[in-house]
Amino acid sequence: MHTVIARIRSFYGQRPLHLLVLLGCFALAGYAALHAATDPAWPIMLAWFLAAVIGHDLVLFPLYALADRSLAALTRRLPARRAATRTPLVSPLNYLRVPALGVGLTFLLFLPGIIEQGAPTYLAATGQTQQPYLARWLLLSAAMFGVSAVAYTLALRRASAPSRRALAPVRAMLGHGERILAIGYQVLGQAGAVASTRALYYSTGEQPPRWHRIGWNQLAEVQWLKDRGVLVARGIDTAHPQQREVPLADPGNLVESARSLIAARPST
């Protein structure tokens, strides 16, 4: 039995179940074609069918394929992580694709009602007008994009949860109105140094990690020694260590932020 299935798959290229399903589809399509052939309006149905095939394959498919490729190219240009917090970004591609697909399909489904095609016949059959179709389709489209936006927001929060937990001790030390501008990361992806609008925060190698604060007006220079993998902060106040080395694997844009803040000399 396995030998027969292997031979069929080698000859056909897929499993026998695929062939059976495909033959069933052809049989169903043949039955529908024979049934439609007995209808006097079959030329009109054939014209609609050919117009749909041509309109989709030669017009609609190239358009939405181009739109999808353009959207994918745009999302690929987004940074893999936020520059300041290095929080992993979630690609918005599928969160735009799904509602856009729903909007397009519902538009095609309710197109006669949206453009009020056959309004007299519809009114005679139902006693109602087709005027609500457009407004309801727009509301449905807005709802689909709204649900997708909520789902995307939740996905972003899940992706940023580890970063928020790691920075919780630093955030507890921030003063009123003080903001985090840049983060340097250690080998295991943990935050090792943080530049805020008022000070440099750095973590020691203790377990659990302890965070220390040095105001920008107490620092003379901040350097990144790439060959040693350390961030060097040199102080100008004798009450503080003259030099502090913080091991980092990725300083991000912390050094650039620190230099500009030291030059500005904000008050602590």
Side-chain angles (χ1 to χ4, degrees):
M1 185 65 181
H2 292 287
T3 305
V4 175
I5 295 177
R7 289 181 178 178
I8 294 175
R9 188 168 185 175
S10 175
F11 174 77
Y12 176 63
Q14 287 289 342
R15 296 180 179 180
L17 181 61
H18 182 277
L19 178 60
L20 291 176
V21 173
L22 193 60
L23 291 175
C25 292
F26 280 126
L28 181 62
Y31 170 78
L34 290 175
H35 184 72
T38 60
D39 194 313
W42 70 265
I44 298 177
M45 289 187 284
L46 179 62
W48 271 101
F49 179 76
L50 294 177
V53 171
I54 295 173
H56 176 268
D57 292 353
L58 298 183
V59 179
L60 292 180
F61 179 76
L63 288 177
Y64 62 67
L66 177 62
D68 185 73
R69 286 177 177 268
S70 301
L71 183 62
L74 180 62
T75 55
R76 281 196 299 269
R77 292 190 177 186
L78 293 175
R81 294 170 177 263
R82 290 193 179 97
T85 63
R86 304 288 289 176
T87 300
L89 288 178
V90 179
S91 174
L93 183 58
N94 289 332
Y95 295 91
L96 293 172
R97 276 176 173 167
V98 173
L101 178 62
V103 168
L105 290 177
T106 53
F107 178 77
L108 292 177
L109 182 62
F110 298 111
L111 179 60
I114 293 173
I115 64 176
E116 299 187 18
Q117 182 183 18
T121 304
Y122 186 85
L123 179 62
T126 64
Q128 299 179 353
T129 66
Q130 295 171 301
Q131 291 180 353
Y133 271 87
L134 177 58
R136 291 174 181 175
W137 173 73
L138 291 175
L139 287 175
L140 180 61
S141 301
M144 286 188 284
F145 276 102
V147 171
S148 184
V150 171
Y152 182 60
T153 302
L154 294 176
L156 283 177
R157 287 189 62 83
R158 286 195 301 270
S160 62
S163 177
R164 291 199 306 271
R165 287 194 297 268
L167 292 176
V170 178
R171 294 187 186 279
M173 299 171 64
L174 296 178
H176 179 70
E178 189 175 1
R179 295 180 296 106
I180 293 177
L181 300 178
I183 301 175
Y185 284 84
Q186 297 174 344
V187 176
L188 298 180
Q190 296 293 328
V194 175
S196 76
T197 51
R198 299 179 184 176
L200 172 69
Y201 297 84
Y202 63 91
S203 172
T204 62
E206 302 169 347
Q207 292 297 330
R210 294 180 58 189
W211 288 87
H212 303 268
R213 181 184 189 276
I214 303 179
W216 297 121
N217 62 343
Q218 298 169 335
L219 287 172
E221 185 182 20
V222 173
Q223 288 184 324
W224 165 245
L225 304 182
K226 185 177 180 180
D227 56 337
R228 295 177 53 195
V230 295
L231 182 78
V232 178
R234 296 186 176 90
I236 58 175
D237 192 342
T238 56
H240 293 80
Q242 290 299 309
Q243 180 168 305
R244 173 64 68 179
E245 295 186 355
V246 182
L248 293 178
D250 179 12
N253 60 345
L254 189 146
V255 176
E256 293 78 3
S257 300
R259 287 173 178 171
S260 62
L261 291 166
I262 290 173
R265 294 291 179 196
S267 60
T268 56

